[in-house]
Amino acid sequence: MANSEYEYVKREFEFDRRLPPSNWIVVRIDGCHFHRFSKIHAFEKPNDQNALRLMNACATAMLEKFPDIVFAYGVSDEYSFVFREDTEFYHRRESKILSLCVSYFTSVYVMKWKDFFPNKELKEPPYFDARAVCYPNFKTIRDYLAWRQVDCHVNNQYNTCFWMLVKSGKSEQEAQLALKGTFAKDKNELLAQQFQINYDDEPAMFRKGSSVYREKVEKIVKTDDYEDPIKRTRLVLKEEHVDIIGPEFWQNHQHILREGKFQHEFVKKFDINHMLPPCNWIVVRINACQFDQFSAIHSFDKPNDAAALRLMNAAASSMMEQYPSIAFGYGFGNEYSFVLHEKTELYQRRESLLLSSFSSYFTSLYMMKWKEFFPHKELMQPPRFDAEAVCYPKLKLLYEYLSWRQAECHAGNQYNTCFWMLVKSGKGEKEAHEILKGTLSKDKNELLFQQFQMNYNNEPAMFRKGSCIYRQKVEEIANIEGSENSTRREGWDVKVDHVDMGSGFWRKHSWILSTSDYN
């Protein structure tokens, strides 16, 4: 909106990396630190049926939301989503596809938690990372799915043996040693002889994972003049726990993929990780999707909802606590930019993992903190955020980027303040747009003052300048163990500020982007 001198940082540094056409796209989502998450929430071992059903419910919601997903396969804390080869979902922009998918999946996971764990509080934000891989033909996409199901079988068989040994009294180290070098038949014998368990009788969801897809069914849509039923073929979502390695499933469901012979191991070579260049400042910018609709549903105040902005700031502050590599954050409206230090090796600078984990964790935080800021408003629909990454090789360019975003904040907020004041005064939205068409900044200030007796510069700084989040040194008092004395020491605290990000700010806060203290 603001055609400012700083806008060249968008033209020259922001590029949309598009996934190649005529390829099947697989987005694989994985839980981050789910060993810890499952321990904190006391998931049953080796499999928690409710946790798996929650993952399946999220996958079903994904297929309901995104029609271009034709098949999903999941096991444990992982789910793979297959987009049809001719999809033009977000014009095949990798950053958009990755971040939106993982954000929406996370959002649904948090919203549906109580459906599957009514007596368990969600103690920490769950989040996921994701990667996108392209497969050129039916054979390779089926090989990919076969590979994931083989992994499901191998891991579940091992984990079933491992946890039965642990529950029988062995230590985890002893259980690992007992299973070292064993084959599938050895594990089956161990389960049968020591625990009277036939592995093939274990629930299919544990052994084979879960497949979610659209099934063709005939439904009665109406009756004719003679009261005879008229049927039409419809696609309905179905969840199954069946073998997808052999040809039978695919022969019976040719509308999903086509038949082919396959070897599943070689598909790993398609999994190429795009690394962001070293010694560059990385900016991950998160944007809420369809936020006009979301804010209308939740009756956010216009032009600014202070509680909604404070919620965004709270989520961003927690992001900095989770990721020490984030040196600075700047946000306004429904977006936030996170600056990672030039020397960061977070996720080995892998773009897909940075984008997906950031959008997922931010979504999770946003939802978990909702009640703090909206105690009397129910969260009516899952929010979701997309993300993109931009690299800047020099600090000067990074400063210009942040100045550009703040210029956008000012221009957007000044326009919206005028627009909503006009609407609230009785003008139609179309009429308000026409009145503001072609006006300059000074014209808008005059309009606010003359018609509404408002001095724009007296509006809250959070609305006009956005929010800066950074670490500053603070003195902490620490008690000495076994003594009544205490000592003072320096620590870091996250601060939220609403100020101009001109040269004066950076001189005063030179430590923020000067060293890699936070890596």
Side-chain angles (χ1 to χ4, degrees), residues 377-391:
K377 280 185 184 180
E378 183 185 352
L379 189 58
M380 303 294 291
Q381 73 173 33
R384 63 189 192 276
F385 298 81
D386 64 37
E388 53 192 319
V390 191
C391 292

Side-chain angles (χ1 to χ4, degrees), residues 480-495:
I480 301 172
E481 191 175 346
S483 170
E484 295 182 0
N485 298 325
S486 60
T487 182
R488 292 180 179 273
R489 64 187 182 192
E490 285 189 336
W492 292 98
D493 195 14
V494 175
K495 183 177 181 180

Side-chain angles (χ1 to χ4, degrees), residues 239-515:
E239 174 193 320
E240 280 201 323
H241 317 289
V242 295
D243 182 87
I244 57 172
I245 298 174
E248 183 178 352
F249 176 85
W250 301 110
Q251 287 171 353
N252 293 334
H253 301 85
Q254 293 184 30
H255 62 283
I256 302 173
L257 302 174
R258 293 179 185 173
E259 190 177 4
K261 297 179 180 179
F262 33 87
Q263 300 171 349
H264 45 262
E265 280 300 318
F266 83 99
V267 297
K268 294 180 185 179
K269 69 183 181 182
F270 291 97
D271 195 349
I272 300 167
N273 293 305
H274 178 62
M275 308 285 185
L276 296 172
C279 299
N280 273 247
W281 299 89
I282 301 170
V283 175
V284 176
R285 188 168 71 238
I286 289 174
N287 281 282
C289 299
Q290 298 179 338
F291 217 65
D292 286 338
Q293 181 193 57
F294 183 86
S295 60
I297 288 171
H298 295 95
S299 303
F300 283 1
D301 291 338
K302 298 293 185 182
N304 294 287
D305 190 297
L309 292 173
R310 291 200 303 271
L311 171 55
M312 291 286 288
N313 291 340
S317 297
S318 294
M319 288 284 288
M320 292 193 77
E321 293 168 5
Q322 173 71 11
Y323 296 105
S325 285
I326 298 175
F328 187 76
Y330 176 74
F332 67 96
N334 61 342
E335 81 166 50
Y336 240 98
S337 295
F338 295 101
V339 179
L340 280 74
H341 204 279
E342 61 178 341
K343 295 180 182 177
T344 185
E345 285 300 322
L346 181 63
Y347 295 118
Q348 293 81 49
R349 302 176 77 94
R350 289 158 66 182
E351 184 178 20
S352 62
L353 298 186
L354 285 169
L355 292 174
S356 56
S357 60
F358 271 41
S359 61
S360 175
Y361 193 59
F362 191 91
T363 304
S364 198
L365 289 166
Y366 189 94
M367 298 183 70
M368 292 195 72
K369 292 178 181 291
W370 175 268
K371 279 295 179 188
E372 294 177 34
F373 298 90
F374 295 104
H376 306 300
K377 280 185 184 180
E378 183 185 352
L379 189 58
M380 303 294 291
Q381 73 173 33
R384 63 189 192 276
F385 298 81
D386 64 37
E388 53 192 319
V390 191
C391 292
Y392 296 106
K394 298 175 184 176
L395 263 178
K396 178 182 181 297
L397 293 166
L398 179 59
Y399 292 149
E400 299 272 81
Y401 167 82
L402 293 168
S403 295
W404 168 49
R405 298 320 300 147
Q406 192 162 54
E408 285 280 316
C409 171
H410 162 70
N413 184 66
Q414 190 184 43
Y415 183 95
N416 288 334
T417 302
C418 294
F419 175 83
W420 285 106
M421 289 303 296
L422 288 167
V423 170
K424 289 174 183 179
S425 72
K427 305 281 186 193
E429 292 191 9
K430 187 175 180 181
E431 189 180 0
H433 282 306
E434 283 299 317
I435 291 171
L436 294 172
K437 191 175 180 180
T439 55
L440 303 177
S441 180
K442 64 177 183 177
D443 303 324
K444 297 182 183 75
N445 281 344
E446 286 177 11
L447 182 151
L448 289 171
F449 186 75
Q450 291 174 7
Q451 294 195 36
F452 306 106
Q453 293 72 56
M454 281 179 62
N455 184 338
Y456 179 73
N457 292 326
N458 290 338
E459 288 294 287
M462 179 169 63
F463 301 165
R464 294 180 293 111
K465 299 177 185 294
S467 301
C468 303
I469 297 189
Y470 55 92
R471 295 178 184 83
Q472 64 176 5
K473 284 186 178 180
V474 294
E475 274 198 345
E476 297 175 336
I477 298 175
N479 293 321
I480 301 172
E481 191 175 346
S483 170
E484 295 182 0
N485 298 325
S486 60
T487 182
R488 292 180 179 273
R489 64 187 182 192
E490 285 189 336
W492 292 98
D493 195 14
V494 175
K495 183 177 181 180
V496 180
D497 222 344
H498 315 292
V499 294
D500 284 321
M501 290 187 293
S503 57
F505 173 83
W506 296 112
R507 281 196 300 270
K508 187 178 177 181
H509 302 83
S510 57
W511 71 85
I512 296 176
L513 301 178
S514 61
T515 65

